[in-house]
Amino acid sequence: NKLKWIGSKMPSYKLKTVADGSDAELKFDDGVIRFIDLWATWCGPCQRPMAHNQEVLSKFGEQWKGKADIVGISLDDSRKDVKERIDDKDWKLPTQLWSENGWGSHIARDLEIRGIPLALLINGAGDILWKGHPSGLKIEETIEKLLKSEDPGLKQDSGDDEDEDDEEGEKLKIAAKDFKSSESFDSTAEKTIHTDVTEAFKQLGIEGLSWSI
């Protein structure tokens, strides 16, 4: 069940800071409301939500200090890639962490992640209040209501369309990489794969995605 964790306690996780790769233990029972955004640099649909996270904290970061936070957790293979993207886009206001083993990490397995972006809203007691696509939640409005102990009126976002698109897109990328590693790969094949996969992404509604094999 996609929403089986709603109402459950979020366990702590050992991650790495994007900035310098130092150890970071993310705990959720310290009284701080957190909006968690699981993403990756290669994920086209992940970029706009992360930019929005930066915008939200530029407006509310100071007044939320010690009370609420937005946390980005990258599933990229390389911390360097994440750091370069964050530095380039100046997405430094959210707490930026890296899940070292990506899709094989504890948090990815625990949440049974099928596609990204995926977001979670967790209250100060560590209870998962909401799970879905990050664009499916009005972050600032919801957190403001929670800070005032008001009912945020949360509606669960199944995010099925986004997950299915991202899952299919990822399968295409993996297939392309597997073929490149085969003995039959040559430059002509690379151009053919790039054209076919790019067209497939467009058909899935995933445009503006930069990728390579």
Side-chain angles (χ1 to χ4, degrees), residues 20-211:
D20 60 12
S22 59
D23 293 335
E25 184 171 9
L26 187 58
K27 296 182 177 181
F28 299 94
D29 58 355
D30 56 358
V32 176
I33 297 168
R34 289 184 174 86
F35 180 77
I36 307 296
D37 187 347
L38 292 119
W39 72 298
T41 58
W42 49 259
C43 167
C46 294
Q47 309 311 302
R48 187 176 298 175
M50 189 55 67
H52 182 63
N53 294 338
Q54 175 75 18
E55 294 171 3
V56 170
L57 287 178
S58 69
K59 298 177 183 178
F60 295 93
E62 283 300 316
Q63 67 188 67
W64 287 357
K65 198 169 184 178
K67 301 175 185 177
D69 193 15
I70 296 177
V71 181
I73 300 179
S74 165
L75 298 181
D76 280 275
D77 292 333
S78 166
R79 181 181 66 84
K80 180 181 177 182
D81 291 344
V82 192
K83 187 177 186 305
E84 288 179 353
R85 177 62 54 82
I86 290 172
D87 288 345
D88 179 58
K89 298 293 185 179
D90 197 26
W91 292 339
K92 298 178 181 178
L93 291 180
T95 298
Q96 297 286 7
L97 302 174
W98 174 56
S99 187
E100 187 171 13
N101 295 314
W103 295 97
S105 64
H106 288 300
I107 191 168
R109 294 201 307 268
D110 286 349
L111 293 174
E112 299 180 341
I113 296 176
R114 297 188 296 115
I116 52 176
L118 176 68
L120 302 166
L121 180 66
I122 303 168
N123 67 16
D127 301 313
I128 300 176
L129 303 180
W130 179 92
K131 177 183 177 183
H133 192 282
S135 64
L137 187 72
K138 295 181 179 179
I139 306 172
E140 49 270 74
E141 179 181 315
T142 302
I143 290 181
E144 282 289 292
K145 287 184 177 180
L146 288 173
L147 289 174
K148 296 175 183 177
S149 298
E150 297 177 1
D151 181 2
L154 294 173
K155 294 182 179 180
Q156 298 304 330
D157 172 22
S158 68
D160 287 339
D161 291 340
E162 290 85 355
D163 281 353
E164 289 174 4
D165 286 352
D166 290 334
E167 185 177 13
E168 290 303 315
E170 180 61 14
K171 286 178 180 178
L172 287 168
K173 287 176 68 180
I174 292 172
K177 288 183 178 180
D178 286 346
F179 185 73
K180 182 177 181 179
S181 65
S182 71
E183 294 180 358
S184 59
F185 178 82
D186 58 27
S187 59
T188 301
E190 180 176 13
K191 292 178 181 178
T192 301
I193 292 171
H194 192 281
T195 300
D196 291 347
V197 175
T198 299
E199 181 60 30
F201 276 134
K202 288 181 180 179
Q203 291 177 9
L204 290 170
I206 306 173
E207 298 191 47
L209 176 62
S210 176
W211 69 280

